[in-house]
Amino acid sequence: LCRESSGSFMLSMTAPSRHHHRLDFVRSSIARPCGCQRRLAPPSDVAKMPVSKRAKKVSLTKVKKKAPSAGRSQYVDKLRQGVEARPNLFVVEIDEHSRPTQFKALRTSLPGDSALFLGKQTLMKVALGDCEENELKPAISKLSGALKGGHALIATDAPRAAIVAALEGCRAPEFATAGFVPDEHVVLEKGDLDVAKYPVSMLAVFKKMDMPVEVQDSKLVLIDNFRVASKNKPISAEQAKMLTHMDLKLHEFAPAVVASYVDGDFSAP
């Protein structure tokens, strides 16, 4: 507003100066602390964001995890049912370095109505009973006392001679695994290595084993003799793999009966 000489007031249409804008900014800064921003309420008519309709992976097979105690209970019940249904039991000693493929051949070679049980000997003792008060059958607790680590249990209706014959038929040489102790030295002689067994891609593996090998004419050549395995010394995983490439089967799968329970009588040869 500005005042005329006549004493009346009139509205001035002049634009505010930049000083007015600066004062407004200062006033607004004092009114709102630093870091605070003026929030505007969203209008009610704003449309919502569209929901993504991209393909999502949906698992059609949902398996519930079994409690450890439930799995042990099922194993004990299954073993008890197998023992009660068959009159004869045999404790079989199996080497710890045997490969799982041999167990499948053993199961198929058992005569008659036979069942092979593998597992912890503590659970086997629980199923059979470890004393006269809780034993599953009379005098079967003696068989339970013969169970040790690495033993398997065969429940069958076949006689002892048939089981022993089946175990003898399953004896077979196999490739050694890590931890096996050979009874002789295994030496790879110097010279050209067979390309079919030892391709050039195995150079890094051989170098890791400190083998004196190099590539000549697109094939591996051993500069000097190399001892792959030492007598009376456990082999490593790399040595076991090397023996497999050499097609040397140092270990033998030879299951044997160490105790039996036939017609209610326990015997341990």
Side-chain angles (χ1 to χ4, degrees), residues 79-263:
L79 181 56
R80 286 175 176 172
Q81 292 175 3
V83 171
E84 290 177 345
R86 300 168 180 89
N88 302 333
L89 297 175
F90 297 93
V91 178
V92 179
E93 183 179 11
I94 299 178
D95 196 302
E96 61 179 345
H97 300 292
S98 300
R99 295 180 177 269
T101 53
Q102 300 294 340
F103 300 141
K104 185 182 296 185
L106 178 59
R107 277 194 173 95
T108 56
S109 63
L110 292 177
D113 182 19
S114 303
L116 176 65
F117 296 96
L118 301 170
K120 292 185 177 181
Q121 50 94 12
T122 53
L123 294 180
M124 291 184 179
K125 290 183 177 181
V126 171
L128 299 179
D130 54 359
C131 60
E132 295 182 359
E133 288 75 13
N134 58 8
E135 60 186 6
L136 189 62
K137 290 183 178 181
I140 203 173
S141 58
K142 297 179 181 180
L143 183 74
S144 178
L147 288 170
K148 297 181 180 179
H151 285 176
L153 187 65
I154 297 177
T156 180
D157 56 358
R160 179 188 180 90
I163 296 297
V164 172
L167 297 180
E168 287 292 332
C170 290
R171 294 175 67 98
E174 60 179 355
F175 295 111
T177 58
F180 174 74
V181 181
D183 55 359
E184 60 182 352
H185 296 302
V186 180
V187 179
L188 187 62
E189 297 182 355
K190 66 178 180 179
D192 297 344
L193 299 180
D194 188 3
V195 179
K197 294 182 179 179
Y198 314 102
V200 180
S201 59
M202 295 185 63
L203 179 62
V205 178
F206 293 159
K207 289 293 184 181
K208 187 177 180 181
M209 297 175 61
D210 297 331
M211 289 182 60
V213 64
E214 61 182 22
V215 180
Q216 295 180 5
D217 299 331
S218 300
K219 60 183 178 181
L220 295 178
V221 178
L222 194 62
I223 306 302
D224 197 3
N225 293 343
F226 179 75
R227 182 179 293 180
V228 180
S230 300
K231 182 179 179 180
N232 299 329
K233 186 178 180 180
I235 63 175
S236 62
E238 290 79 11
Q239 290 174 316
K241 186 180 297 184
M242 186 63 190
L243 292 173
T244 303
H245 284 286
M246 295 174 64
D247 198 20
L248 289 178
K249 298 180 179 181
L250 302 182
H251 182 258
E252 184 183 17
F253 179 71
V257 176
V258 296
S260 63
Y261 179 85
V262 179
D263 297 331

Side-chain angles (χ1 to χ4, degrees), residues 16-31:
S17 63
R18 62 181 181 178
H19 299 289
H20 293 82
H21 291 290
R22 185 175 300 173
L23 290 174
D24 293 337
F25 173 78
V26 172
R27 291 170 183 170
S28 62
S29 301
I30 295 174

Side-chain angles (χ1 to χ4, degrees), residues 43-63:
S44 58
D45 58 346
V46 175
K48 295 182 179 179
M49 294 295 293
V51 179
S52 176
K53 295 183 179 180
R54 290 181 295 179
K56 297 181 181 180
K57 295 182 179 180
V58 179
S59 178
L60 300 179
T61 56
K62 295 183 179 180
V63 181

